[in-house]
Amino acid sequence: MPTEARSREKESRPRDPPPIGLRERKRTRTRLMIQAEALRLFAAHGYAETTIEAIAEAAAISPRTFFRYFPSKEDVVLWDEYDPRLGELIEARPADEPPIESIRALIRETLSGLQRRDREQLLARVRLLSSVPELRARFFEAQSGGAKMISAALAPRPNLPDERQLRLTAAALSAVVTDAIGQWDEDDGKTDLIRLFDASVDDLIAGMRQLHSDATPTR
Amino acid sequence: MPTEARSREKESRPRDPPPIGLRERKRTRTRLMIQAEALRLFAAHGYAETTIEAIAEAAAISPRTFFRYFPSKEDVVLWDEYDPRLGELIEARPADEPPIESIRALIRETLSGLQRRDREQLLARVRLLSSVPELRARFFEAQSGGAKMISAALAPRPNLPDERQLRLTAAALSAVVTDAIGQWDEDDGKTDLIRLFDASVDDLIAGMRQLHSDATPTR
Amino acid sequence: MPTEARSREKESRPRDPPPIGLRERKRTRTRLMIQAEALRLFAAHGYAETTIEAIAEAAAISPRTFFRYFPSKEDVVLWDEYDPRLGELIEARPADEPPIESIRALIRETLSGLQRRDREQLLARVRLLSSVPELRARFFEAQSGGAKMISAALAPRPNLPDERQLRLTAAALSAVVTDAIGQWDEDDGKTDLIRLFDASVDDLIAGMRQLHSDATPTR
Amino acid sequence: MPTEARSREKESRPRDPPPIGLRERKRTRTRLMIQAEALRLFAAHGYAETTIEAIAEAAAISPRTFFRYFPSKEDVVLWDEYDPRLGELIEARPADEPPIESIRALIRETLSGLQRRDREQLLARVRLLSSVPELRARFFEAQSGGAKMISAALAPRPNLPDERQLRLTAAALSAVVTDAIGQWDEDDGKTDLIRLFDASVDDLIAGMRQLHSDATPTR
DNA sequence: ACGGGCGGGACTGCCCGTTGGT
DNA sequence: ACCAACGGGCAGTCCCGCCCGT
């Protein structure tokens, strides 16, 4: 669930080695705290019915400060602390792995990490994503952005035909993730997310096999 | 580009055969007029910089009336007059056609129709979708909704494994549409949209072939 | 005390003769009510210490509505109901009157009208103008705008040398008004405003006589 | 262009002869640098569109530090390094010069100094003053404050009728300055500012001659 | 159906006070 | 002592909802 980064360059500009880690860590802790309070209120009273002011009060901060940690109300649902790690994960992939398999592996790792800790909270977020249209929309956006980022990072030679193929496959796998999450939500998180994802990938493979590849032009 | 229907019940209320067509037609004309003015202003001053009030003034209506025709500012970009036709198109498909091929055919028909008339306006809308994150998000949402609707309509036996396969394939093809539109935008609409779509489908097929289907569990 | 008119054309566009007067009258009454509450709170707790929210609460409206009646917090002090009348007053001047005398007469009429009713409230506003820098600044702006408007309206042949002379004299008389108001404030409104204005005009005339008119270049 | 002094006490506190000049000089250099960056951004993107944060980034300081050098965003346009010199200039006037002529001479000297160096930058500032209402307002305020200061300094015997005369004349000449600057802006700085000022003074003198000085009371 | 009035909530920008680090 | 980061507060704008009269 990668969140868009608007103008975060300043924060990641590593000027002083010691404070950067510490400061960033502190920010992450605050973000987690705010998110926890927000999700609690959303579950109790609903997303639309919970105002920023209420969240701020619950988190013992001012409304103004809320927006310093999350650019919008939606982002408090979208954000998770593993987003920024994506870069490291990509670089950790073996160089000789086929890029498309790398994408699948990255997705599985991310899903697995998300599921492992905060399973309850993840379920709460997923429920919101499923039920609130604006959040669902933002989630699609984030997925798409993540797919684009991954495919760009893995494309050996940018702007060649290969990159489009990689990008499309990544987008398709993102759609599979979304669908798997939807299924996970529908059975209340009882099934393992990875299992749902794997099965859905197989289904998509089977589905795509039924499409012949020499398409005839329209009309 | 199917738009979500938030509170459409009121429109379908008057079940009188004669007026329904005429009234609906008049509404559509007004909608088209408002949309044209809005897109003109968006292109001139930017999406965020154009207020509903400015659109209303340009369209010679009151701000209040704007919301009678479009449920939100975003919808004035998302909406097009071919959306509601989707149902008819689905029913027009031959019964013996494989569902997955039906989806591809439906997409091609829709893209072709969109491209044929209002090419310039379509390009304006696409530019907005590409550049304004909130619109892009809503567009993904709409795409996803459309895919879900089509797959539900075409699934012979609902809630069986087959439906998931159909749904996933439809979602993947939606992602292809989005990517094709992105390419179309980048070369300023010079290439034929259908051609871009077909080529991208082939690319996706090729990409998916590189995924082996017996996935091993994570870690 | 003319207030700037940002985009008020819509309001003054007389579409339906009957409602326009009534509606506008109602708006004026509401504006007066809000202003009265605001001035009361400003006098009690100070300008900066009084929030829009407090004013809105005192006036039994929402903060949002406050901004429908006054474009900014400053305007609630600047505005008075005689501002829009200026146009009528200008046209009421005899055509054969020397324009510069017309300006003096207009100022005297306006001051007299302001002083006659709401003397206490006028004093309250003047006190704020004198003590709050931002309000003083806005007041100068409004004075200057009014002077420019009057001289433009009275200039027989626009863009001729005469217009500059008229404009400068109007600006100088505006400065006299400001000074007279300052004196009025300092002696707590005991002296008649018109008298202060007249005396100050005489003083300015005397002062200007001491300037020789063939200026020598600097250095 | 005298700027109001809000909280200048801190600067004048260190009465140590050696550091005062140096420190102050350094501060002035920083101020000039910030101002240059700000004016550049204002010209490029507009005043309202340029945030303090953007200025701070361009000047390589923190937003908080911006406010250490300028009390508000407006002041970055209003301020110029010649403001504080006004006191010296006043004292340099010959003691036997008529005060009113001293005022005129002071204005001419100041305008001449401003115009001589940074003509381009002065034009940029003037353009902003003309086009942004809030800046225009603050400029009037500053002008008025300067006039009051000069007249107070030159009045031989304070609080006598003479002082009012002096004050009013200074205010009128300030209005002339404002108008001359407006004319200068309109012809893009092609004409000499002093010439415009002198001609406008003559126009005002001529205009004031048309006012008879024995005003009849109102009503 | 249309217009208008009003309310409310998200969000931004300016500005200030404090703290901690150099 | 200067300065960066942080948190807070308020003005102001925009989208969008509801209710009323026509």
Side-chain angles (χ1 to χ4, degrees):
Chain A
M1 287 188 199
T3 314
E4 73 173 284
R6 282 192 187 168
S7 55
R8 285 297 141 76
E9 297 81 10
K10 204 167 56 179
E11 301 175 15
S12 60
R13 182 178 48 181
R15 273 223 317 239
D16 319 317
I20 185 85
L22 187 140
R23 235 195 269 282
E24 204 59 28
R25 194 121 45 193
K26 196 166 179 306
R27 278 186 74 80
T28 298
R29 266 209 312 277
T30 307
R31 247 192 275 262
L32 282 171
M33 183 267 288
I34 298 174
Q35 189 186 42
E37 294 297 328
L39 291 175
R40 195 173 53 75
L41 292 173
F42 291 159
H45 312 118
Y47 178 77
E49 288 70 28
T50 306
T51 67
I52 299 279
E53 199 178 332
I55 299 172
E57 186 153 351
I61 57 172
S62 79
R64 191 69 190 75
T65 299
F66 174 90
F67 287 106
R68 285 209 171 72
Y69 285 93
F70 295 99
S72 83
K73 185 181 178 184
E74 292 159 3
D75 288 282
V76 84
V77 180
L78 269 295
W79 177 85
D80 57 65
E81 53 176 329
Y82 310 106
D83 285 359
R85 308 283 172 88
L86 191 53
E88 312 166 14
L89 288 180
I90 291 177
E91 293 183 3
R93 283 285 112 197
D96 61 341
E97 188 180 43
I100 289 185
E101 281 300 340
S102 294
I103 294 176
R104 164 145 70 172
L106 285 168
I107 291 175
R108 297 174 91 247
E109 278 183 25
T110 304
L111 288 182
S112 152
L114 275 174
Q115 198 183 206
R116 199 150 28 225
R117 72 163 83 189
D118 288 330
R119 190 192 184 94
E120 215 47 50
Q121 184 154 312
L122 182 62
L123 199 53
R125 291 167 65 202
V126 161
R127 265 195 253 279
L128 286 168
L129 294 183
S130 300
S131 56
V132 182
E134 15 175 336
L135 293 176
R136 213 166 45 225
R138 281 291 312 272
F139 175 67
F140 287 123
E141 237 277 288
Q143 286 285 96
S144 157
K148 209 159 281 181
M149 206 202 92
I150 292 180
S151 57
L154 290 178
R157 293 154 298 175
N159 290 327
L160 285 198
D162 297 270
E163 203 213 344
R164 188 172 73 175
Q165 179 179 311
L166 201 58
R167 197 178 62 223
L168 284 160
T169 315
L173 289 179
S174 280
V176 174
V177 169
T178 302
D179 197 89
I181 286 180
Q183 297 172 53
W184 192 64
D185 171 49
E186 282 187 3
D187 79 354
D188 279 326
K190 293 195 195 98
T191 315
D192 183 72
L193 237 183
I194 308 286
R195 189 177 312 275
L196 287 171
F197 171 70
D198 285 338
S200 294
V201 170
D202 286 353
D203 260 9
L204 177 57
I205 290 173
M208 293 301 293
R209 284 225 184 84
Q210 299 177 41
L211 279 173
H212 57 275
S213 110
D214 46 11
T216 53
T218 185
R219 157 181 330 226
Chain B
M1 288 191 197
T3 313
E4 76 173 281
R6 277 190 191 170
S7 55
R8 287 293 147 77
E9 299 82 10
K10 206 167 53 178
E11 302 175 15
S12 58
R13 178 168 45 88
R15 265 301 169 199
D16 314 327
I20 184 141
L22 189 139
R23 217 190 283 278
E24 205 58 29
R25 193 121 46 191
K26 194 164 180 308
R27 278 186 73 80
T28 298
R29 266 210 310 277
T30 307
R31 246 192 276 262
L32 282 171
M33 183 268 288
I34 297 175
Q35 189 186 42
E37 294 297 329
L39 291 175
R40 194 173 53 76
L41 292 174
F42 291 159
H45 312 119
Y47 178 77
E49 289 70 28
T50 306
T51 67
I52 299 276
E53 197 179 332
I55 300 172
E57 186 151 350
I61 58 173
S62 82
R64 187 66 192 76
T65 300
F66 175 91
F67 288 106
R68 280 188 233 278
Y69 286 94
F70 295 98
S72 85
K73 183 182 178 184
E74 292 159 3
D75 288 281
V76 84
V77 179
L78 269 297
W79 178 84
D80 56 65
E81 52 176 329
Y82 312 106
D83 284 359
R85 310 281 173 89
L86 191 53
E88 313 167 15
L89 289 180
I90 291 177
E91 293 183 5
R93 282 286 110 196
D96 60 341
E97 188 180 44
I100 288 185
E101 282 299 341
S102 295
I103 295 176
R104 164 146 68 172
L106 285 169
I107 290 174
R108 299 173 92 247
E109 279 182 24
T110 305
L111 288 182
S112 154
L114 274 175
Q115 197 183 208
R116 199 149 31 225
R117 74 163 81 188
D118 288 330
R119 190 191 184 95
E120 214 47 49
Q121 184 153 313
L122 181 63
L123 198 54
R125 292 166 64 203
V126 162
R127 263 194 254 277
L128 285 168
L129 293 183
S130 299
S131 56
V132 182
E134 16 175 336
L135 292 176
R136 214 165 46 223
R138 282 290 313 272
F139 175 68
F140 286 124
E141 238 278 288
Q143 287 284 96
S144 158
K148 210 160 281 183
M149 205 201 92
I150 292 180
S151 57
L154 290 178
R157 292 153 299 173
N159 290 326
L160 284 198
D162 297 88
E163 203 212 344
R164 187 172 75 176
Q165 179 180 312
L166 202 57
R167 197 178 62 223
L168 285 160
T169 315
L173 289 179
S174 281
V176 174
V177 169
T178 302
D179 196 273
I181 287 180
Q183 297 173 53
W184 194 63
D185 172 48
E186 282 187 3
D187 79 355
D188 280 323
K190 291 193 197 100
T191 315
D192 184 73
L193 237 183
I194 308 287
R195 190 178 311 275
L196 287 171
F197 171 70
D198 285 339
S200 294
V201 169
D202 287 352
D203 259 8
L204 177 57
I205 291 173
M208 293 301 293
R209 280 221 188 86
Q210 300 176 39
L211 280 173
H212 59 275
S213 129
D214 45 7
T216 54
T218 184
R219 184 163 313 217
Chain C
M1 290 188 198
T3 314
E4 73 173 285
R6 280 190 191 170
S7 55
R8 284 298 142 73
E9 298 81 11
K10 205 167 57 180
E11 301 176 15
S12 59
R13 182 178 47 182
R15 272 222 318 238
D16 319 318
I20 185 86
L22 188 139
R23 234 195 269 281
E24 205 58 29
R25 194 121 46 190
K26 194 165 179 307
R27 277 186 76 80
T28 298
R29 266 209 312 277
T30 307
R31 246 192 274 262
L32 282 170
M33 183 268 287
I34 298 175
Q35 190 186 42
E37 294 298 328
L39 291 175
R40 196 174 52 75
L41 291 174
F42 290 159
H45 311 119
Y47 178 78
E49 289 69 28
T50 306
T51 67
I52 298 280
E53 198 177 333
I55 300 172
E57 186 152 352
I61 57 172
S62 78
R64 187 68 189 75
T65 300
F66 174 91
F67 288 107
R68 279 190 230 281
Y69 285 94
F70 296 99
S72 82
K73 185 182 177 182
E74 292 160 2
D75 288 281
V76 85
V77 179
L78 269 296
W79 177 85
D80 57 66
E81 53 176 329
Y82 309 107
D83 284 359
R85 309 282 173 89
L86 191 53
E88 312 166 16
L89 289 179
I90 291 176
E91 293 183 4
R93 282 285 112 197
D96 60 343
E97 189 179 41
I100 289 185
E101 282 299 340
S102 294
I103 293 176
R104 165 147 68 171
L106 285 169
I107 289 175
R108 298 173 92 246
E109 278 182 26
T110 305
L111 289 182
S112 153
L114 275 174
Q115 197 182 209
R116 200 152 27 227
R117 73 164 81 190
D118 288 330
R119 190 190 184 94
E120 215 47 49
Q121 183 154 313
L122 181 62
L123 199 53
R125 292 166 64 202
V126 161
R127 265 195 252 279
L128 286 168
L129 294 183
S130 300
S131 56
V132 182
E134 14 175 338
L135 292 177
R136 214 166 45 223
R138 281 291 311 273
F139 176 67
F140 286 122
E141 239 278 288
Q143 285 286 96
S144 157
K148 209 160 281 182
M149 207 202 91
I150 291 180
S151 56
L154 289 178
R157 294 152 298 173
N159 290 327
L160 284 199
D162 296 272
E163 203 211 345
R164 189 172 74 176
Q165 179 179 311
L166 201 58
R167 197 177 63 223
L168 284 160
T169 315
L173 290 179
S174 282
V176 174
V177 169
T178 303
D179 196 272
I181 287 179
Q183 297 172 53
W184 194 64
D185 171 48
E186 282 188 2
D187 79 353
D188 279 325
K190 292 195 196 98
T191 315
D192 184 72
L193 237 183
I194 308 286
R195 189 178 312 274
L196 287 171
F197 171 70
D198 286 339
S200 294
V201 170
D202 287 352
D203 260 9
L204 177 58
I205 290 174
M208 293 300 293
R209 283 223 187 87
Q210 300 177 39
L211 279 174
H212 58 275
S213 128
D214 46 7
T216 53
T218 184
R219 178 166 319 217
Chain D
M1 286 190 199
T3 314
E4 76 173 281
R6 278 191 193 169
S7 55
R8 287 293 148 76
E9 299 80 11
K10 204 169 55 180
E11 301 176 16
S12 58
R13 180 167 45 85
R15 264 300 166 198
D16 314 328
I20 183 134
L22 189 139
R23 218 191 281 281
E24 205 57 28
R25 194 121 45 190
K26 194 164 181 307
R27 280 186 72 81
T28 298
R29 266 209 312 276
T30 308
R31 246 192 276 263
L32 282 171
M33 182 269 288
I34 298 175
Q35 189 186 42
E37 293 297 328
L39 291 175
R40 195 174 52 76
L41 292 174
F42 291 159
H45 311 119
Y47 178 78
E49 289 70 29
T50 306
T51 67
I52 299 277
E53 198 179 331
I55 299 172
E57 186 151 351
I61 57 173
S62 82
R64 191 66 189 78
T65 299
F66 174 91
F67 290 106
R68 280 188 235 277
Y69 287 93
F70 295 99
S72 84
K73 183 182 177 182
E74 293 159 2
D75 287 282
V76 84
V77 179
L78 270 297
W79 178 84
D80 57 66
E81 52 176 329
Y82 311 106
D83 285 0
R85 310 278 173 91
L86 192 52
E88 313 167 15
L89 288 180
I90 290 177
E91 294 182 5
R93 282 286 112 197
D96 60 340
E97 189 180 41
I100 288 185
E101 282 299 341
S102 294
I103 295 176
R104 164 148 66 172
L106 286 169
I107 290 174
R108 298 173 92 245
E109 279 182 26
T110 306
L111 289 182
S112 153
L114 275 175
Q115 198 183 207
R116 199 149 29 223
R117 74 163 81 188
D118 287 332
R119 190 191 184 95
E120 215 47 50
Q121 184 153 312
L122 181 62
L123 199 54
R125 291 167 64 203
V126 162
R127 265 194 252 280
L128 286 168
L129 294 183
S130 300
S131 56
V132 182
E134 19 176 331
L135 292 177
R136 215 165 45 222
R138 281 291 313 273
F139 176 67
F140 287 123
E141 238 278 288
Q143 286 284 97
S144 157
K148 207 160 282 180
M149 204 201 95
I150 292 180
S151 56
L154 289 178
R157 293 153 299 176
N159 290 327
L160 283 199
D162 296 271
E163 203 212 345
R164 187 172 76 176
Q165 180 180 311
L166 202 58
R167 198 177 62 222
L168 284 161
T169 315
L173 290 179
S174 281
V176 174
V177 170
T178 303
D179 196 273
I181 287 180
Q183 297 173 52
W184 194 63
D185 171 48
E186 281 188 3
D187 80 353
D188 279 324
K190 290 191 199 102
T191 314
D192 184 73
L193 237 183
I194 308 286
R195 191 178 311 275
L196 287 170
F197 171 70
D198 286 338
S200 293
V201 170
D202 286 353
D203 260 8
L204 178 57
I205 290 173
M208 293 301 293
R209 282 223 188 87
Q210 300 176 40
L211 279 173
H212 57 275
S213 110
D214 45 12
T216 53
T218 185
R219 165 185 333 213

